[in-house]
Amino acid sequence: MSPAEARLKEVRSDMTEAEWTQRVNLAAAYRLVAFYGWDDLVDTHISARVPGPEHHFLINPYGLMFDEITASSLVKVDLDGNLLTESQYSINPAGFTIHSAIHEVREDAGCVLHLHTPDGVAVASCLEGLQPLNQTAQLVTGDLAYHDYEGIALDHDERPRIQKDLGDKNHLLLRNHGTLTVGRSVASAFERMFHLERACTMQVRTRMLGPTAYPVEKFVIEKNENLVADRDRAERRANLLVWPPLLRKLDRLDPSYKT
């Protein structure tokens, strides 16, 4: 056994199999965010709740690029921000504010994903917000909330307002700031973010073509929004249909996320 394999075995011995599986999936999400060009140097963050009765969650070590993150390097914290695993890195304080707010009140928040992409921030900063201009946007708009910008999220007093504004929605535009999605699993949070980011990009491009988008009938918008309202179906689709090929893609590119 190599020193690296011995170290990994030691790390895994201190956690349940469920936690390790969650770590692998979360590390995969970080790598996929980097692959799609959604990362922002060492900023933005993805968290995943550790299975169990405690509201502990995993988040990135502050100072690693997203394509460096591995399952064993993720930091475990509690809702007070206490580090529960040894790490040479701290955690992003703004990231803790946002993610702890959601994990505190949403029992279904298995994963919370937050980005600062150019198109996502553009739409979040636009007065009209995200409009149901196309099929992709209509997968989002019926399950979308907004939170007004209060500055870099270092003030824990903001958490109740994040909680209130998000409510039971799974997509959030943080005004003048970025995008956020929630899922019962890493897989569903990631798929929701894929649709949200695509919808923002499509809106930016559509608006660049001129002031008038081709209209969509209201009943069609409602029909599409209702199709994705079944959250059990969304979880099955994400975990059975979307996530496995994404993991296979990562395994072909660089399987080190699993270490």
Side-chain angles (χ1 to χ4, degrees), residues 170-198:
N170 289 309
H171 304 77
L172 180 68
L173 282 180
L174 296 152
R175 289 291 195 178
N176 314 98
H177 182 178
T179 54
L180 183 146
T181 57
V182 178
R184 294 182 202 165
S185 62
V186 175
S188 58
F190 186 88
E191 185 180 15
R192 286 185 174 119
M193 184 58 77
F194 187 89
H195 293 148
L196 177 55
E197 285 293 329
R198 276 289 179 92

CSV table of all heavy atoms in Angstrom, one decimal, residues 170-198:
chain,number,residue,atom,x,y,z
A,170,ASN,N,-36.3,26.1,-4.9
A,170,ASN,CA,-35.0,25.4,-5.1
A,170,ASN,C,-34.0,26.2,-6.0
A,170,ASN,O,-32.9,25.7,-6.2
A,170,ASN,CB,-35.2,24.0,-5.7
A,170,ASN,CG,-35.9,23.1,-4.7
A,170,ASN,OD1,-35.4,23.0,-3.6
A,170,ASN,ND2,-36.9,22.4,-5.1
A,171,HIS,N,-34.5,27.3,-6.5
A,171,HIS,CA,-33.6,28.2,-7.3
A,171,HIS,C,-33.7,29.6,-6.7
A,171,HIS,O,-34.8,30.1,-6.3
A,171,HIS,CB,-34.1,28.3,-8.8
A,171,HIS,CG,-34.2,27.0,-9.5
A,171,HIS,ND1,-35.2,26.1,-9.3
A,171,HIS,CD2,-33.4,26.4,-10.4
A,171,HIS,CE1,-35.1,25.1,-10.0
A,171,HIS,NE2,-33.9,25.2,-10.7
A,172,LEU,N,-32.6,30.3,-6.6
A,172,LEU,CA,-32.5,31.6,-6.0
A,172,LEU,C,-31.6,32.5,-6.8
A,172,LEU,O,-30.5,32.1,-7.1
A,172,LEU,CB,-32.0,31.5,-4.5
A,172,LEU,CG,-31.9,32.9,-3.8
A,172,LEU,CD1,-33.3,33.4,-3.5
A,172,LEU,CD2,-31.2,32.6,-2.4
A,173,LEU,N,-32.1,33.7,-7.2
A,173,LEU,CA,-31.2,34.7,-7.7
A,173,LEU,C,-30.9,35.7,-6.6
A,173,LEU,O,-31.8,36.3,-6.1
A,173,LEU,CB,-31.9,35.4,-8.9
A,173,LEU,CG,-31.9,34.7,-10.2
A,173,LEU,CD1,-32.6,35.6,-11.3
A,173,LEU,CD2,-30.5,34.3,-10.7
A,174,LEU,N,-29.6,35.7,-6.3
A,174,LEU,CA,-29.1,36.7,-5.3
A,174,LEU,C,-28.8,38.0,-6.0
A,174,LEU,O,-27.9,38.1,-6.8
A,174,LEU,CB,-27.8,36.1,-4.6
A,174,LEU,CG,-28.0,34.9,-3.8
A,174,LEU,CD1,-26.7,34.0,-3.8
A,174,LEU,CD2,-28.5,35.2,-2.4
A,175,ARG,N,-29.7,39.0,-5.8
A,175,ARG,CA,-29.6,40.2,-6.6
A,175,ARG,C,-28.2,40.8,-6.6
A,175,ARG,O,-27.6,40.9,-5.5
A,175,ARG,CB,-30.6,41.2,-6.1
A,175,ARG,CG,-32.1,40.8,-6.4
A,175,ARG,CD,-32.4,40.9,-7.9
A,175,ARG,NE,-33.8,41.0,-8.2
A,175,ARG,CZ,-34.3,41.1,-9.4
A,175,ARG,NH1,-33.5,41.2,-10.5
A,175,ARG,NH2,-35.6,41.1,-9.6
A,176,ASN,N,-27.7,41.2,-7.8
A,176,ASN,CA,-26.4,41.9,-7.9
A,176,ASN,C,-25.3,41.0,-7.4
A,176,ASN,O,-24.2,41.5,-7.1
A,176,ASN,CB,-26.4,43.2,-7.1
A,176,ASN,CG,-27.6,44.1,-7.4
A,176,ASN,OD1,-28.5,44.1,-6.6
A,176,ASN,ND2,-27.6,44.8,-8.5
A,177,HIS,N,-25.5,39.7,-7.4
A,177,HIS,CA,-24.5,38.8,-6.7
A,177,HIS,C,-24.3,37.5,-7.5
A,177,HIS,O,-23.2,37.2,-7.9
A,177,HIS,CB,-25.0,38.5,-5.3
A,177,HIS,CG,-24.1,37.7,-4.5
A,177,HIS,ND1,-24.4,37.4,-3.2
A,177,HIS,CD2,-23.0,37.0,-4.7
A,177,HIS,CE1,-23.5,36.6,-2.7
A,177,HIS,NE2,-22.6,36.4,-3.6
A,178,GLY,N,-25.4,36.7,-7.7
A,178,GLY,CA,-25.2,35.4,-8.3
A,178,GLY,C,-26.4,34.5,-8.3
A,178,GLY,O,-27.5,34.9,-8.0
A,179,THR,N,-26.1,33.2,-8.6
A,179,THR,CA,-27.1,32.2,-8.6
A,179,THR,C,-27.0,31.2,-7.5
A,179,THR,O,-25.8,31.0,-7.0
A,179,THR,CB,-27.1,31.5,-10.0
A,179,THR,OG1,-25.7,31.0,-10.2
A,179,THR,CG2,-27.4,32.4,-11.1
A,180,LEU,N,-28.0,30.5,-7.2
A,180,LEU,CA,-28.0,29.5,-6.1
A,180,LEU,C,-29.1,28.5,-6.4
A,180,LEU,O,-30.2,28.8,-6.8
A,180,LEU,CB,-28.2,30.1,-4.7
A,180,LEU,CG,-28.1,29.2,-3.5
A,180,LEU,CD1,-27.4,30.0,-2.3
A,180,LEU,CD2,-29.5,28.7,-3.1
A,181,THR,N,-28.7,27.2,-6.1
A,181,THR,CA,-29.7,26.1,-6.2
A,181,THR,C,-29.6,25.2,-5.0
A,181,THR,O,-28.6,25.1,-4.4
A,181,THR,CB,-29.6,25.3,-7.5
A,181,THR,OG1,-28.2,24.7,-7.5
A,181,THR,CG2,-29.8,26.1,-8.7
A,182,VAL,N,-30.8,24.5,-4.7
A,182,VAL,CA,-30.9,23.6,-3.6
A,182,VAL,C,-31.4,22.3,-4.2
A,182,VAL,O,-32.2,22.2,-5.1
A,182,VAL,CB,-31.9,24.1,-2.6
A,182,VAL,CG1,-32.0,23.1,-1.4
A,182,VAL,CG2,-31.4,25.5,-2.0
A,183,GLY,N,-30.8,21.2,-3.7
A,183,GLY,CA,-31.3,19.9,-4.0
A,183,GLY,C,-31.3,18.9,-2.9
A,183,GLY,O,-30.5,19.1,-1.9
A,184,ARG,N,-32.1,17.9,-2.9
A,184,ARG,CA,-32.0,16.8,-1.9
A,184,ARG,C,-30.7,16.1,-2.0
A,184,ARG,O,-30.2,15.6,-1.0
A,184,ARG,CB,-33.2,15.8,-2.0
A,184,ARG,CG,-34.5,16.4,-1.8
A,184,ARG,CD,-35.6,15.2,-1.9
A,184,ARG,NE,-36.9,15.8,-2.2
A,184,ARG,CZ,-37.9,15.0,-2.6
A,184,ARG,NH1,-37.7,13.7,-2.8
A,184,ARG,NH2,-39.1,15.5,-2.9
A,185,SER,N,-30.2,16.1,-3.2
A,185,SER,CA,-28.9,15.4,-3.5
A,185,SER,C,-28.0,16.4,-4.2
A,185,SER,O,-28.4,17.4,-4.8
A,185,SER,CB,-29.1,14.2,-4.3
A,185,SER,OG,-29.7,14.6,-5.6
A,186,VAL,N,-26.7,16.1,-4.3
A,186,VAL,CA,-25.7,16.8,-5.1
A,186,VAL,C,-26.2,16.8,-6.5
A,186,VAL,O,-26.1,17.8,-7.2
A,186,VAL,CB,-24.3,16.3,-4.9
A,186,VAL,CG1,-23.3,17.0,-5.9
A,186,VAL,CG2,-23.8,16.4,-3.5
A,187,ALA,N,-26.7,15.7,-7.0
A,187,ALA,CA,-27.1,15.5,-8.4
A,187,ALA,C,-28.2,16.5,-8.8
A,187,ALA,O,-28.1,17.1,-9.8
A,187,ALA,CB,-27.5,14.1,-8.6
A,188,SER,N,-29.2,16.6,-7.9
A,188,SER,CA,-30.3,17.5,-8.3
A,188,SER,C,-30.0,18.9,-8.2
A,188,SER,O,-30.4,19.8,-9.0
A,188,SER,CB,-31.6,17.2,-7.5
A,188,SER,OG,-31.3,17.3,-6.1
A,189,ALA,N,-29.1,19.3,-7.2
A,189,ALA,CA,-28.7,20.7,-7.1
A,189,ALA,C,-27.9,21.1,-8.3
A,189,ALA,O,-28.0,22.2,-8.9
A,189,ALA,CB,-27.9,20.9,-5.8
A,190,PHE,N,-27.0,20.1,-8.8
A,190,PHE,CA,-26.2,20.4,-10.0
A,190,PHE,C,-27.1,20.5,-11.2
A,190,PHE,O,-26.9,21.5,-12.0
A,190,PHE,CB,-25.1,19.3,-10.2
A,190,PHE,CG,-24.2,19.7,-11.3
A,190,PHE,CD1,-23.0,20.4,-11.0
A,190,PHE,CD2,-24.4,19.3,-12.6
A,190,PHE,CE1,-22.2,20.8,-12.0
A,190,PHE,CE2,-23.6,19.6,-13.6
A,190,PHE,CZ,-22.4,20.3,-13.3
A,191,GLU,N,-28.0,19.6,-11.4
A,191,GLU,CA,-28.8,19.7,-12.6
A,191,GLU,C,-29.7,21.0,-12.6
A,191,GLU,O,-29.8,21.7,-13.7
A,191,GLU,CB,-29.8,18.5,-12.8
A,191,GLU,CG,-30.5,18.6,-14.1
A,191,GLU,CD,-31.5,17.4,-14.3
A,191,GLU,OE1,-31.8,16.7,-13.4
A,191,GLU,OE2,-31.9,17.3,-15.5
A,192,ARG,N,-30.2,21.4,-11.5
A,192,ARG,CA,-30.9,22.7,-11.4
A,192,ARG,C,-30.0,23.8,-11.8
A,192,ARG,O,-30.4,24.7,-12.5
A,192,ARG,CB,-31.5,22.8,-10.0
A,192,ARG,CG,-32.7,22.0,-9.7
A,192,ARG,CD,-33.3,22.2,-8.4
A,192,ARG,NE,-34.6,21.4,-8.2
A,192,ARG,CZ,-34.8,20.5,-7.3
A,192,ARG,NH1,-33.9,20.3,-6.4
A,192,ARG,NH2,-35.9,19.9,-7.3
A,193,MET,N,-28.8,23.8,-11.3
A,193,MET,CA,-27.9,24.9,-11.6
A,193,MET,C,-27.5,24.9,-13.1
A,193,MET,O,-27.4,26.0,-13.7
A,193,MET,CB,-26.6,24.8,-10.8
A,193,MET,CG,-25.6,26.0,-11.1
A,193,MET,SD,-26.3,27.6,-10.7
A,193,MET,CE,-26.3,27.6,-8.9
A,194,PHE,N,-27.4,23.7,-13.7
A,194,PHE,CA,-27.2,23.7,-15.1
A,194,PHE,C,-28.3,24.4,-15.9
A,194,PHE,O,-28.0,25.2,-16.8
A,194,PHE,CB,-27.0,22.2,-15.6
A,194,PHE,CG,-26.6,22.1,-17.0
A,194,PHE,CD1,-25.3,22.0,-17.4
A,194,PHE,CD2,-27.6,22.0,-18.0
A,194,PHE,CE1,-24.9,21.8,-18.7
A,194,PHE,CE2,-27.2,21.9,-19.4
A,194,PHE,CZ,-25.9,21.8,-19.7
A,195,HIS,N,-29.5,24.1,-15.5
A,195,HIS,CA,-30.6,24.7,-16.2
A,195,HIS,C,-30.7,26.2,-15.9
A,195,HIS,O,-31.0,27.1,-16.8
A,195,HIS,CB,-32.0,24.1,-15.8
A,195,HIS,CG,-32.1,22.7,-16.2
A,195,HIS,ND1,-32.8,21.7,-15.5
A,195,HIS,CD2,-31.7,22.0,-17.3
A,195,HIS,CE1,-32.8,20.6,-16.1
A,195,HIS,NE2,-32.1,20.7,-17.3
A,196,LEU,N,-30.5,26.6,-14.7
A,196,LEU,CA,-30.5,28.0,-14.3
A,196,LEU,C,-29.4,28.8,-15.0
A,196,LEU,O,-29.7,29.9,-15.6
A,196,LEU,CB,-30.3,28.2,-12.8
A,196,LEU,CG,-30.3,29.6,-12.2
A,196,LEU,CD1,-31.5,30.4,-12.6
A,196,LEU,CD2,-30.1,29.6,-10.7
A,197,GLU,N,-28.2,28.3,-15.1
A,197,GLU,CA,-27.1,29.0,-15.8
A,197,GLU,C,-27.4,29.1,-17.3
A,197,GLU,O,-27.2,30.1,-17.9
A,197,GLU,CB,-25.8,28.3,-15.5
A,197,GLU,CG,-25.2,28.6,-14.1
A,197,GLU,CD,-24.8,30.0,-14.0
A,197,GLU,OE1,-24.4,30.7,-15.0
A,197,GLU,OE2,-24.9,30.5,-12.8
A,198,ARG,N,-27.9,28.0,-17.9
A,198,ARG,CA,-28.2,28.0,-19.3
A,198,ARG,C,-29.3,29.0,-19.6
A,198,ARG,O,-29.3,29.8,-20.6
A,198,ARG,CB,-28.7,26.6,-19.7
A,198,ARG,CG,-27.6,25.6,-20.1
A,198,ARG,CD,-26.9,26.0,-21.4
A,198,ARG,NE,-25.8,25.2,-21.8
A,198,ARG,CZ,-25.9,24.1,-22.5
A,198,ARG,NH1,-27.1,23.7,-23.0
A,198,ARG,NH2,-24.9,23.3,-22.8
